[in-house]
């Protein structure tokens, strides 16, 4: 037990890095996902294709390969210089974005056509319809799948320890290297991830209740 | 009286299926025109072509002097002047009754919230739902929803109102309230085009009734004439089934 208390400052520092990367990546990922979903549904074929190819490429390759590509691959080019954290955030954000995109697209397409017809018949533009009528309703429906993706992305951040980002997992490694208490430390790290994810699902069920479809 | 809607040689195809063939019609200002016909006859499609909710294959629809089929025209501006009421109400379920009503006037015309709410209150009073302003559509009955939908369309001060089977999805005891509101509108001089199965309403309120079958206007006349003395064999057959 003592070893956990002693290493707590290190682990908490790792937790801070994990939370920081997760928060930035999930926000960027969500914006990217929304953008990709709108491109997928845009009335211009070329845009549909671009979004589809991008989504397929991300979903069709392992996140670890993407991480190596963004960090080692891109950095091997002369004109690129990405630090670890940026490469890590990009990887998690793009990955989340591709999955968000498909969830958002499905959510938008599941909306009753009558909603759009009513909005357009009142003279609202396609953009206003999307913003005031379709997306607010679609987002409420999609909240459970958003939570799911957020949880997956949070856990994905632990992969970033491989390129040496000092996140919670990496800090666990570091502490074990000096204390040799693998059982206690990995248990503590696991509990810390679990608590974060549990809080995330609590937040999600609160939001679901708050924005219940009437 | 001036012409409000002029339909010239309207044709609508879904692939090879010709839903409307060469329809021409005139609707005058303050006129109430009911469109009747069997399901699948094309009457709803005809109505939905008027504000271009359906793409028009060929022909023209001219509303208040503006050609709806002209690609260079801003269709949103035209739709602001053309109210529409749907069979399934299509209220926005995430917004309160008042928010449903004030959204379009505020977003499309830039009217202030105070002004939009004031107008909304007047309209809710008119349709008999003043106490429902803060309710969500999910808590209303079908008849109440449809009256809110009418108020929402009226909030844009439309020059003409299109009704697409407004009472077909209602329980029988709700139909009367909605028809009452529509009658009042008609008496105030609103130009109305109503696709309906309510022959009683057509007989009582309409200035003219169009009978559509297989995508063409088979017969049109004043309601009394059309109902009591249909000229065309297809009209006779249809009326004998519904009257």
């Amino acid at each position: 037990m003592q070893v956990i208390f002693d290493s707590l400052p290190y682990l908490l520092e790792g937790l801070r890095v994990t939370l920081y990367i997760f928060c930035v990546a999930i926000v960027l990922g969500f914006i990217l996902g929304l953008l990709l979903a709108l491109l997928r549904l845009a009335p211009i074929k070329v845009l549909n294709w671009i979004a589809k190819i991008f989504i397929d490429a991300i979903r069709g390759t392992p996140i670890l390969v993407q991480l190596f590509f963004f960090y080692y691959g891109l950095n091997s080019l002369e004109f690129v210089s990405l630090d670890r954290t940026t490469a890590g955030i990009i990887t998690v954000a793009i990955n989340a974005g591709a999955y968000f995109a498909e969830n958002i697209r499905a959510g938008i397409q599941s909306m009753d056509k009558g909603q759009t017809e009513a909005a357009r018949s009142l003279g609202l533009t396609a953009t206003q319809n999307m913003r005031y009528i379709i997306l607010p309703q679609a987002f409420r429906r999609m909240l459970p799948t958003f939570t799911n993706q957020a949880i997956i992305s949070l856990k994905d951040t632990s992969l970033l320890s491989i390129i040496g980002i000092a996140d919670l997992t990496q800090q666990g490694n570091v502490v074990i290297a000096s204390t040799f208490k693998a059982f206690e430390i990995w248990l503590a790290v696991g509990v810390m991830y679990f608590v974060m994810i549990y809080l995330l699902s609590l937040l999600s069920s609160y939001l679901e209740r708050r924005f219940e479809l009437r | 009286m001036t012409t409000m809607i002029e339909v010239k040689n309207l044709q609508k195809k879904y692939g090879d299926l010709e839903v409307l063939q060469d329809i021409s019609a005139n609707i005058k200002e303050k006129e109430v025109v009911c469109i009747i016909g069997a399901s699948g006859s094309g009457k709803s499609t005809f109505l939905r072509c008027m504000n271009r909710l359906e793409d028009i294959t060929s022909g023209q629809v001219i509303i208040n002097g503006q050609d709806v089929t002209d690609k260079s025209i801003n269709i949103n501006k035209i739709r602001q002047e053309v109210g529409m009421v749907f069979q399934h109400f299509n209220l926005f379920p995430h917004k309160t009754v008042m928010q449903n009503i004030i959204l379009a006037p505020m977003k499309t015309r830039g009217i202030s919230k105070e002004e939009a709410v004031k107008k909304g209150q007047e309209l809710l009073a008119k349709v008999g739902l003043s106490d429902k302003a803060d309710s969500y559509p999910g808590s209303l009955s079908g008849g109440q929803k449809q009256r809110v939908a009418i108020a929402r369309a009226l909030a844009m001060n439309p020059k003409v109102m299109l009704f697409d089977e407004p009472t077909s999805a209602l329980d029988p005891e709700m139909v009367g309230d909605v028809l009452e509101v529509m009658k009042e509108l008609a008496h105030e001089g609103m130009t109305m085009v109503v696709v309906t199965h309510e022959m009683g309403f057509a007989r009582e309120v309409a200035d003219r009734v169009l009978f559509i079958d297989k995508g063409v206007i088979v017969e049109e006349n004043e309601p009394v004439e059309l109902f009591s003395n249909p000229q065309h064999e297809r009209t006779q057959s249809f009326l004998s089934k519904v009257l």
Side-chain angles (χ1 to χ4, degrees), chain A residues 116 120 123-131 134, chain B residues 76:
Chain A
T116 295
R120 299 306 305 274
L124 294 172
T125 62
T127 312
Q128 287 172 326
N129 170 46
M130 200 45 98
R131 175 163 164 207
I134 301 303
Chain B
N76 299 315

Side-chain angles (χ1 to χ4, degrees), chain A residues 112 114-115 117-125 128 132-133 136-137 140 214, chain B residues 48 76 79-80 82 86 90-95 103-104 107-108 136 152 156:
Chain A
D112 177 17
Q115 291 289 303
E117 289 182 352
R120 299 306 305 274
S121 79
L122 286 162
L124 294 172
T125 62
Q128 287 172 326
Y132 300 115
I133 307 303
Q137 293 185 66
R140 280 166 218 221
R214 278 166 270 237
Chain B
R48 290 159 56 84
N76 299 315
R79 285 177 178 152
Q80 289 172 23
V82 181
F86 299 85
N90 299 345
L91 293 179
F92 308 132
H94 61 305
K95 295 189 173 293
L103 178 78
K107 298 303 175 192
T108 64
Y136 282 87
R152 179 176 69 178
M156 293 297 289

